[in-house]
């Protein structure tokens, strides 16, 4: 079974641990890439680690948590082939998978409740990309073959 890479900074640590527990409880295998303590760290370092796991083909999806999810998404989206979206609810989770083929779910520990984040993550991981007209739009963001 493919391990789902996840990471957070210090601000995102409590929500990351809650999401990790939830995923494991649902039978997923997770790869926790840190951070592991409350010491202050820099979120781009952790976004880079999850992005690298995806671009190396280790997993189709990753999870990033910081205070707002925004810094993680900005940082992750600088990596080729990454489409990271900040999620606040299940509707965003469904639509960003179906339309944007998002491959990293970002959450803000200071901006979302655990239950809502869990639900959004469940939907994110189970919603297929629709393809079709969305392929043309995604190709305008990441031209095929571009790295
Ligand atoms: C850390 O204090 C905070 O700036 C970070 O977790 C994140 O919210 C940045 O986007």
């Amino acid at each position: 079974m493919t391990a789902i890479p996840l990471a957070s900074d210090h601000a995102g640590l409590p929500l990351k641990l809650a999401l990790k527990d939830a995923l494991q409880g649902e039978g997923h295998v997770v790869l926790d890439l840190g951070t592991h303590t409350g010491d202050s760290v820099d979120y781009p370092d952790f976004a880079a680690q999850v992005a690298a796991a995806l671009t190396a083909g280790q997993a189709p999806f990753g999870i990033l948590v910081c205070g707002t999810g925004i810094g993680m998404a900005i940082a992750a989206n600088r990596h080729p082939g990454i489409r990271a979206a900040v999620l606040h609810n299940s509707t965003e989770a469904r639509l960003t998978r179906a339309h944007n083929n998002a491959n990293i779910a970002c959450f803000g520990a200071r901006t979302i409740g655990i239950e809502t984040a869990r639900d959004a993550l469940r939907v994110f991981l189970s919603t297929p990309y629709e393809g079709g007209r969305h392929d043309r739009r995604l190709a305008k963001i990441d031209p095929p073959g571009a790295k």
Side-chain angles (χ1 to χ4, degrees):
M1 184 182 287
T2 306
I4 301 172
L6 84 169
S8 71
D9 69 359
H10 53 288
L13 182 59
L15 180 58
K16 183 195 70 173
L17 293 176
L19 293 176
K20 182 179 169 181
D21 273 0
L23 286 169
Q24 289 174 330
E26 290 167 12
H28 293 282
V29 179
V30 300
L31 175 65
D32 188 342
L33 295 170
T35 188
H36 301 293
T37 75
D39 295 346
S40 184
V41 292
D42 298 335
Y43 59 83
D45 297 335
F46 295 89
Q49 289 202 53
V50 170
L54 266 59
T55 54
Q58 289 173 22
F61 302 121
I63 301 160
L64 288 167
V65 189
C66 63
T68 60
I70 296 170
M72 285 294 198
I74 291 171
N77 278 318
R78 295 296 176 96
H79 296 266
I82 296 302
R83 292 172 300 280
V86 184
L87 304 181
H88 303 92
N89 54 59
S90 300
T91 304
E92 291 173 347
R94 176 173 57 81
L95 289 171
T96 199
R97 282 289 310 128
H99 291 193
N100 312 125
N101 200 14
N103 51 14
I104 295 185
C106 300
F107 296 98
R110 295 171 177 158
T111 60
I112 191 171
I114 289 173
E115 199 70 26
T116 306
R118 275 190 199 153
D119 288 347
L121 182 55
R122 201 174 293 121
V123 170
F124 183 87
L125 294 174
S126 62
T127 302
Y129 172 53
E130 277 177 13
R133 68 190 186 282
H134 303 295
D135 282 343
R136 183 180 71 244
R137 295 163 186 165
L138 292 183
K140 291 184 176 184
I141 298 171
D142 261 331
K147 263 282 173 187

